[in-house]
Amino acid sequence: MFVKSFKFFYFYTFSTLFLTLLILFFLNPTLYNYGIYSYRSFVFIKPNFFIINKDTNLIKGLKDSSVQYRNDADRTGFYEIDFDPLSLKSEMLNDTIVNHGGHGASKSTPVSNGKFMVSAGDQGLIQVFKQEKLHWSLHLYNSNLGFHGTPIVFNDYAIIGEYSGRLYLLNLEAKKIIWMAQLGNSFGATPWLESHYLYYNVETLHPNGYIGKINLSDTSLVWASNPIGNHSHSSPAVDNENLYFGDNDNKFQAMSKTTGTIMWEIKLAGPIKSTPAMDNENIYISSWDGHLYSLKKANGLINWQYKLSEFNQSSPAIDQKLSFGFINDQTGVHKIDLKTGQRLAFHELSMSKETKRASPVILKYKSKKYVATPCAKTDVCIYDFVSFKLLKKYSFNEGLSSQVGVDKKYLIIALNKKSPIILLRP
């Protein structure tokens, strides 16, 4: 009898407490505030910068050119190189595991500015190579998912956002962290650096997110946008006036660089996790709804849509002058006429779950152009730009889920799981 009474009392007490907390939650959601936002409402708090090492040379460095994800502000994935991509040999820089492949997103791409090469893995490991030798490595333990965005490298510095929502500025030569800033709860996208201004999209727990603009010369916040409605894994493309990006709420948006206000938005039929590519008049973006879209840059209206496989995360590579575009899905690699949305050529492949998320790049060597992309499960394929004939295949022991990294003197490969950094070089 005593046991039955105790069980009834325990159940009654627990139920009453649970119902009380539930009522309080819905009557006053700010009780559950998590710092940058609450569960039910977005409350922006100015980011705090934690200065670890002062650096008086930073302002000079900000004036120098940078190397960023997919090469330029238009995010076209177009690179000019100084070597023949058909005659390369594989060289392992080290055998350190970079990516464990434990998350479904595309992985960070290694970046080189000719002096330094920076790799950031999904286990929180940053590796800095100088003249192809390991110069510095550091392991950040803030997130078991590490880095998904690609580093920005300029002069002797690098900027990178961690999946924990922290942004880091590193002095690569001095092997120092200059500052760290908590800007949100996770970075799934790569920011854009323009002179001394950094534009970033960061996620918050709601799910929500916002876009921010920081003046890096004094770490001041220029503006922060209103909440964009859902997480944004889509690294922005940028022109003179706007940022262009997608989010997990199926929206693609144009936002003013001056004020952070939305200029236009369009809702598609699925989340947008890829990075847009742009020419002067149009934007090209893939969606999880299984399509590649061409949108008018002026207002977001759809020019055409091309059918791909569902859950597409590959970013298109485009040639703006010839209006050709290339994109991956789980069936293979597609060559598209950017004016009409018609398929010009197709190479059928059995893509792995990693490589179908990878993005192609266009390489120009002298007067000839090529397309390079992870393909099949363990290969990098080099295609002729015009005929789309497969010219060369480089094979590895694991697949890739990022783009091939490009330096003027070599290609950079970061593999999943058994993940060393490998160079393909003459």
Side-chain angles (χ1 to χ4, degrees):
M1 183 61 132
F2 174 79
V3 173
K4 289 184 178 180
S5 299
F6 179 81
K7 286 184 177 179
F8 176 80
F9 175 79
Y10 180 85
F11 176 78
Y12 177 82
T13 303
F14 178 82
S15 300
T16 302
L17 179 61
F18 177 78
L19 288 173
T20 301
L21 291 174
L22 195 62
I23 291 169
L24 284 172
F25 174 79
F26 282 102
L27 288 177
N28 186 12
T30 58
L31 290 174
Y32 292 85
N33 193 290
Y34 288 90
I36 295 179
Y37 45 73
S38 70
Y39 179 75
R40 296 192 63 198
S41 61
F42 181 95
V43 180
F44 175 78
I45 294 178
K46 183 178 179 180
N48 291 317
F49 282 77
F50 299 91
I51 308 300
I52 300 171
N53 293 285
K54 290 184 178 181
D55 194 325
T56 57
N57 294 320
L58 175 60
I59 295 177
K60 177 181 181 298
L62 287 169
K63 297 178 181 178
D64 296 335
S65 61
S66 60
V67 179
Q68 305 193 47
Y69 180 54
R70 299 194 71 72
N71 196 33
D72 49 27
D74 295 335
R75 307 287 201 185
T76 56
F78 187 103
Y79 299 82
E80 294 194 23
I81 56 176
D82 296 334
F83 58 91
D84 182 354
L86 304 181
S87 303
L88 304 178
K89 296 180 180 179
S90 177
E91 176 186 336
M92 183 184 297
L93 292 188
N94 66 352
D95 57 0
T96 304
I97 293 178
V98 178
N99 294 321
H100 58 55
H103 193 273
S106 297
K107 298 299 183 286
S108 173
T109 299
V111 170
S112 170
N113 68 348
K115 182 178 181 181
F116 292 104
M117 182 174 68
V118 182
S119 163
D122 66 4
Q123 295 191 105
L125 175 66
I126 299 174
Q127 295 182 91
V128 180
F129 297 88
K130 183 179 180 181
Q131 297 176 344
E132 291 82 65
K133 303 294 183 182
L134 185 62
H135 178 68
W136 180 36
S137 65
L138 64 160
H139 205 147
L140 300 173
Y141 294 95
N142 298 313
S143 169
N144 64 346
L145 295 177
F147 297 94
H148 291 198
T150 292
I152 299 169
V153 179
F154 61 101
N155 199 23
D156 289 348
Y157 301 89
I159 296 172
I160 184 168
E162 191 187 22
Y163 209 71
S164 64
R166 293 177 173 92
L167 186 73
Y168 294 88
L169 172 66
L170 309 177
N171 185 317
L172 305 177
E173 182 67 62
K175 305 180 184 180
K176 292 181 179 180
I177 300 175
I178 305 304
W179 50 246
M180 180 273 288
Q182 185 76 52
L183 300 179
N185 283 86
S186 55
F187 271 103
T190 301
W192 176 255
L193 176 64
E194 186 173 76
S195 181
H196 55 289
Y197 293 111
L198 186 78
Y199 302 89
Y200 63 92
N201 38 348
V202 67
E203 304 168 29
T204 56
L205 284 180
H206 183 17
N208 219 315
Y210 70 95
I211 312 297
K213 178 179 181 179
I214 292 174
N215 185 337
L216 291 183
S217 61
D218 59 8
T219 65
S220 62
L221 180 68
V222 181
W223 53 254
S225 73
N226 291 326
I228 58 176
N230 206 316
H231 294 163
S232 175
H233 295 177
S234 174
S235 303
V238 183
D239 62 16
N240 291 331
E241 298 178 349
N242 297 322
L243 310 170
Y244 304 89
F245 60 92
D247 67 26
N248 287 358
D249 199 29
N250 307 354
K251 296 193 304 294
F252 189 84
Q253 304 178 51
M255 178 178 287
S256 167
K257 288 167 58 178
T258 305
T259 64
T261 56
I262 298 296
M263 307 307 294
W264 56 256
E265 71 176 40
I266 181 173
K267 192 143 187 174
L268 302 179
I272 302 157
K273 297 177 180 285
S274 59
T275 297
M278 299 191 307
D279 57 28
N280 291 332
E281 297 180 355
N282 303 300
I283 300 166
Y284 309 95
I285 186 72
S286 68
S287 167
W288 270 28
D289 66 16
H291 290 89
L292 172 67
Y293 290 91
S294 170
L295 308 176
K296 293 185 184 300
K297 189 190 289 188
N299 52 28
L301 295 179
I302 297 175
N303 296 314
W304 51 257
Q305 59 189 65
Y306 171 77
K307 186 70 177 78
L308 298 165
S309 59
E310 291 184 344
F311 308 113
N312 191 274
Q313 200 165 310
S314 177
S315 302
I318 68 170
D319 185 301
Q320 299 184 55
K321 292 182 179 180
L322 298 179
S323 292
F324 292 161
F326 303 85
I327 192 166
N328 295 343
D329 71 359
Q330 65 183 15
T331 66
V333 189
H334 305 250
K335 179 180 180 180
I336 310 296
D337 185 326
L338 297 181
K339 295 178 180 178
T340 64
Q342 299 298 308
R343 187 170 78 181
L344 301 174
F346 173 66
H347 187 206
E348 184 176 1
L349 295 166
S350 177
M351 292 287 208
S352 68
K353 67 178 182 179
E354 290 91 2
T355 51
K356 73 179 183 181
R357 294 190 293 265
S359 302
V361 294
I362 299 171
L363 307 175
K364 183 180 179 183
Y365 171 58
K366 295 182 177 179
S367 60
K368 192 169 177 58
K369 297 175 185 176
Y370 304 86
V371 177
T373 183
C375 58
K377 178 174 174 58
T378 59
D379 303 329
V380 169
C381 292
I382 310 292
Y383 297 92
D384 182 85
F385 180 86
V386 178
S387 69
F388 209 47
K389 179 182 178 182
L390 178 61
L391 302 176
K392 185 75 175 184
K393 184 182 291 186
Y394 297 99
S395 296
F396 305 96
N397 62 343
E398 287 290 347
L400 300 81
S401 67
S402 63
Q403 73 169 49
V404 175
V406 184
D407 180 273
K408 278 191 170 289
K409 298 181 179 180
Y410 47 75
L411 301 179
I412 312 167
I413 309 297
L415 303 176
N416 274 335
K417 298 176 183 176
K418 303 173 183 177
S419 310
I421 298 295
I422 294 174
L423 298 188
L424 287 175
R425 62 192 311 169

